Amino acid sequence: MKKKVCDAWVPKRNQKGGEKGFFFVPSLQELCLEMLADNADAMVSLEGVPDELIRKLCNLLCDSRKMNTRFLELLLSGSPTEIRLKDCSWLTEEQFAKYFQTCDTTRLEVLQLDQCGRCIPDYALLGTLRQSPRWLPKLITLSLSGACRLSDKGLHVLASSAPALRSINLSQCSLLSSASINILADSLGSLLKELYLDDCLMIDAAQIVPGLKKLKHLEVLSLAGIQTVSDEFIKDYIIECGHNMKELILKDCRKLTDASIKGVAEHCPGLCALDLMNLDKLTDLSLGYLTNSCRALHTLKLCRNPFRLATTQPYHLLGMQKICIF
């Protein structure tokens, strides 16, 4: 008997016709960007290319591990307004100093150097900034996620060199202590609107409350993974400063209970986005507090929490745009 040969398994999204008879067709722009990423070493200039396209090209190069010093030199040429690198793990201290010391940053508004622990220890940063005391005069957004060799001293120099800063991402900066919040408050207290401190394990939430209160215009606060965030912290900070809050990220802050969510609901009337993922001490009471008070809320993340699915139904009446439950 002839044995039947089974066809190779093909993921549903890649089968002919895809879901509902449709299949994904990349746009001409996407095809062109992929071609440019594959041949980035042959590029000689980025002059005249819009920031949005440069950003997409940088993401492609970082994702494919093709970002290198040659393309970095193109990014830094002239007087750029944006430099976005979501993965700097390939960059060495020497390369960072060589290229950034000669870069004209007078027009730079966005600087993203994530996963830069290898290339930005304090001494490399200080040496670079020493060449230009007002290194970042127009910088609005700074992201140094994963800068595991950045200390409070280095942060102080950075904050002093960027007097216009509105948003700073310091996630996974494991050397930063609670003193870093006082540094930001003293330098940027009247300006800073967004602060990300995810997984900064040396930061004690109770100790940063006075510094956070000095950030009078803070609208986005992310404390994901900081285990010292407690009901007492929410009470001390949110009750006084919650009226400005637009987005609050409390993912993996596992000490929080319904009391904290009640405080957030009652004292953050303008809250638009809330992340409560992986908080196993919450009950359905929390959903009731949010339903009754947070009328501006349009994004709510509830993954890996012990809620009953039926209790989320009232959120549809509030015009919620996104609810993430599982």
Side-chain angles (χ1 to χ4, degrees):
M1 183 176 178
K2 189 175 180 180
K3 187 178 292 186
K4 182 178 180 180
V5 179
C6 296
D7 294 332
W9 177 81
V10 179
K12 185 175 182 180
R13 65 178 180 274
N14 293 335
Q15 293 175 8
K16 184 177 180 180
E19 296 182 7
K20 298 183 180 180
F22 297 99
F23 55 89
F24 173 75
V25 177
S27 67
L28 180 59
Q29 182 185 101
E30 290 170 330
L31 292 172
C32 291
L33 285 171
E34 289 179 6
M35 183 175 293
L36 286 173
D38 289 339
N39 298 277
D41 288 339
M43 299 178 67
V44 296
S45 175
L46 294 172
E47 186 177 356
V49 180
D51 286 339
E52 181 182 357
L53 295 183
I54 293 177
R55 186 185 316 145
K56 291 179 179 180
L57 184 55
C58 286
N59 286 338
L60 284 173
L61 290 171
C62 288
D63 289 341
S64 60
R65 306 290 293 177
K66 292 180 180 178
M67 181 62 72
N68 56 34
T69 55
R70 188 180 184 284
F71 193 84
L72 177 61
E73 194 170 5
L74 295 180
L75 282 177
L76 299 180
S77 62
S79 183
T81 57
E82 289 192 8
I83 299 171
R84 294 179 185 262
L85 297 175
K86 66 179 184 178
D87 184 356
C88 293
S89 59
W90 54 274
L91 191 64
T92 66
E93 296 174 24
E94 295 77 13
Q95 291 168 341
F96 171 78
K98 175 183 176 181
Y99 292 103
F100 278 89
Q101 281 181 7
T102 59
C103 176
D104 179 3
T105 58
T106 55
R107 296 177 61 241
L108 193 63
E109 296 181 359
V110 178
L111 178 60
Q112 179 184 5
L113 299 174
D114 291 344
Q115 308 308 317
C116 58
R118 180 186 179 196
C119 64
I120 307 186
D122 277 356
Y123 58 84
L125 186 62
L126 295 174
T128 301
L129 293 177
R130 198 172 289 122
Q131 304 298 317
S132 176
R134 292 183 65 82
W135 188 52
L136 303 163
K138 292 187 177 181
L139 193 70
I140 296 173
T141 300
L142 174 65
S143 181
L144 296 176
S145 176
C148 58
R149 299 166 74 187
L150 177 70
S151 73
D152 296 334
K153 182 178 179 181
L155 180 62
H156 176 72
V157 174
L158 265 175
S160 301
S161 301
L165 204 60
R166 302 290 192 277
S167 174
I168 186 166
N169 185 351
L170 299 171
S171 300
Q172 300 173 12
C173 292
S174 54
L175 292 184
L176 294 183
S177 72
S178 302
S180 61
I181 307 305
N182 288 324
I183 291 169
L184 293 175
D186 292 339
S187 300
L188 304 165
S190 62
L191 297 174
L192 201 66
K193 291 188 175 183
E194 300 180 3
L195 177 60
Y196 300 85
L197 298 170
D198 304 3
D199 299 309
C200 290
L201 302 182
M202 287 184 61
I203 289 181
D204 187 318
Q207 294 180 13
I208 67 174
V209 171
L212 286 176
K213 288 182 177 180
K214 295 178 184 178
L215 299 173
K216 298 297 185 181
H217 300 287
L218 197 65
E219 297 178 352
V220 178
L221 178 62
S222 183
L223 300 170
I226 298 182
Q227 297 306 309
T228 53
V229 174
S230 63
D231 290 345
E232 193 66 24
F233 167 83
I234 296 296
K235 178 182 177 182
D236 291 345
Y237 175 65
I238 292 296
I239 289 179
E240 182 173 335
C241 303
H243 57 279
N244 285 329
M245 202 59 58
K246 298 291 190 295
E247 181 174 357
L248 189 58
I249 302 170
L250 299 172
K251 173 184 177 182
D252 292 319
C253 298
R254 305 188 70 169
K255 290 184 178 180
L256 297 182
T257 69
D258 293 328
S260 288
I261 310 309
K262 182 179 181 181
V264 169
E266 292 178 348
H267 298 282
C268 300
L271 194 66
C272 298
L274 179 62
D275 188 339
L276 301 177
M277 293 173 61
N278 202 25
L279 303 185
D280 53 14
K281 291 185 178 181
L282 301 187
T283 72
D284 293 346
L285 287 174
S286 291
L287 297 178
Y289 298 142
L290 295 174
T291 301
N292 293 330
S293 302
C294 292
R295 298 292 173 173
L297 199 63
H298 60 67
T299 299
L300 177 63
K301 296 184 178 180
L302 301 171
C303 303
R304 299 187 297 278
N305 285 333
F307 299 126
R308 295 193 303 272
L309 182 59
T311 62
T312 64
Q313 185 63 31
Y315 284 93
H316 296 290
L317 302 178
L318 301 180
M320 187 77 69
Q321 295 177 17
K322 180 179 179 181
I323 306 177
C324 184
I325 299 172
F326 299 107

